[in-house]
Amino acid sequence: MTELRRIADWDDAYSNGAHIPGGDAYPARWAERAAAFRTELGVAGRAELDLPYGEGDRELYDLFRPEGAVKGTVVFVHGGYWMAFDKARWSHLAAGPLAQGWAVAMPSYTLCPETRIAGITRQMARAVEVIAGAEAGPLRLTGHSAGGHLVSRLVCADAPLSDDVRARVEHVVSISGLHDLRPLLNTRMNATLRLDEAEAAAESPALLRPQPGIGITCWVGAAERPEFVRQTELLANIWLGLGAATGLRLAAGRHHFDVIDDLADPDSDLVAALLGF
């Protein structure tokens, strides 16, 4: 008889730090590396910090420029369950695309419960529009966890992007993204997210149609929580059936907190997937 599976503890299913050895130390480590990176590029004249894309206190982005000619711009959207962190903790992850000749923009966004996830989607669309207006060339979008959700959401057919900007988005990499938000209704964090059934469905890329012609790589650590692996496989499977060019990668030995490290390595498979080389 086939064994049946069921999730009994939704909070544990979506908890990462408790299942990663030394998980509590990662945020401080990210902040230290990011601050050193910003200082280094600031001294070199290659960092523009706190550029506005809107009028809100957190509607700001940092832009890092490569040496020499710019091939295009990568937009990286941070995670934190739409409730935590900002752009300043991830600056060092720009190193990989920069070394390959791409500029990197990193926006912050208003956090829940001050706004809702649908509001963050609109903010990120506005950020990409402003970044695209300031920087020439193709665009690549990537994000981690909640950021993976947001960049995937921006290439859904109903995303609030202009046709001109939409046409410049050549590829998306969702890293450990959350693509079906309905399970989060069962978690304690929903007291902050304030999702209801309608918004969870409307903001779930796996329940929406992809933008025609888009390519997306769904990337997740093989050692992540089963729900993050399932969420990653889900979008790759569904969007493949809806005509999108999809890729799926389970990164061997990587968990939710170190799966993004390879963005800092210009020769990594993750950077290659993002930039297409």
Side-chain angles (χ1 to χ4, degrees):
M1 180 176 178
T2 301
E3 181 181 356
L4 302 181
R5 296 185 301 161
R6 179 177 178 273
I7 296 175
D9 186 339
W10 291 97
D11 292 297
D12 182 69
Y14 284 92
S15 174
N16 288 299
H19 296 275
I20 295 172
D24 290 346
Y26 276 85
R29 192 180 309 161
W30 294 326
E32 182 179 355
R33 293 181 63 188
F37 184 87
R38 286 194 305 279
T39 297
E40 178 185 349
L41 264 70
V43 170
R46 294 167 50 205
E48 300 174 44
L49 306 180
D50 295 329
L51 300 171
Y53 67 84
E55 297 181 358
D57 292 343
R58 291 176 61 94
E59 291 184 320
L60 303 168
Y61 70 96
D62 294 341
L63 181 69
F64 304 104
R65 297 190 182 278
E67 296 180 295
V70 179
K71 297 177 181 177
T73 302
V74 170
V75 180
F76 173 85
V77 181
H78 72 83
Y81 275 126
W82 310 273
M83 303 184 300
F85 303 135
D86 62 16
K87 60 185 173 57
R89 206 171 293 249
W90 318 99
S91 310
H92 57 289
L93 299 179
L98 288 176
Q100 294 289 349
W102 287 70
V104 178
M106 295 188 171
S108 289
Y109 48 82
T110 304
L111 302 175
C112 297
E114 186 176 343
T115 190
R116 301 176 71 99
I117 290 175
I120 299 174
T121 295
R122 291 190 294 270
Q123 280 187 312
M124 289 300 90
R126 186 160 59 249
V128 171
E129 291 279 349
V130 169
I131 292 163
E135 308 300 322
L139 300 168
R140 304 288 171 92
L141 309 183
T142 188
H144 174 236
S145 198
H149 158 266
L150 290 164
V151 296
S152 302
R153 182 68 184 88
L154 290 182
V155 291
C156 294
D158 68 343
L161 286 179
S162 67
D163 290 342
D164 288 346
V165 171
R166 189 188 300 259
R168 289 171 57 190
V169 177
E170 294 185 341
H171 196 71
V172 175
V173 177
S174 175
I175 306 169
S176 308
L178 293 155
H179 306 120
D180 180 358
L181 304 188
R182 294 172 301 175
L184 302 181
L185 295 169
N186 302 311
T187 66
R188 286 193 296 268
M189 78 176 81
N190 199 44
T192 299
L193 299 178
R194 299 180 296 153
L195 281 167
D196 55 29
E197 287 280 357
E199 184 181 23
E203 293 299 316
S204 292
L207 304 181
L208 302 171
R209 286 194 168 272
Q211 170 190 319
I214 195 62
I216 186 166
T217 299
C218 299
W219 193 284
V220 69
E224 295 206 40
R225 304 292 290 143
E227 270 296 272
F228 282 88
V229 175
R230 186 188 67 80
Q231 288 261 1
T232 298
E233 294 175 337
L234 178 69
L235 187 66
N237 185 16
I238 290 177
W239 277 19
L240 179 64
L242 294 176
T246 65
L248 174 64
R249 175 69 176 267
L250 274 66
R254 294 294 193 179
H255 55 63
H256 195 72
F257 288 173
D258 67 5
V259 68
I260 49 176
D261 287 355
D262 283 344
L263 281 176
D265 179 359
D267 299 316
S268 69
D269 290 344
L270 180 53
V271 171
L274 176 61
L275 302 183
F277 64 84

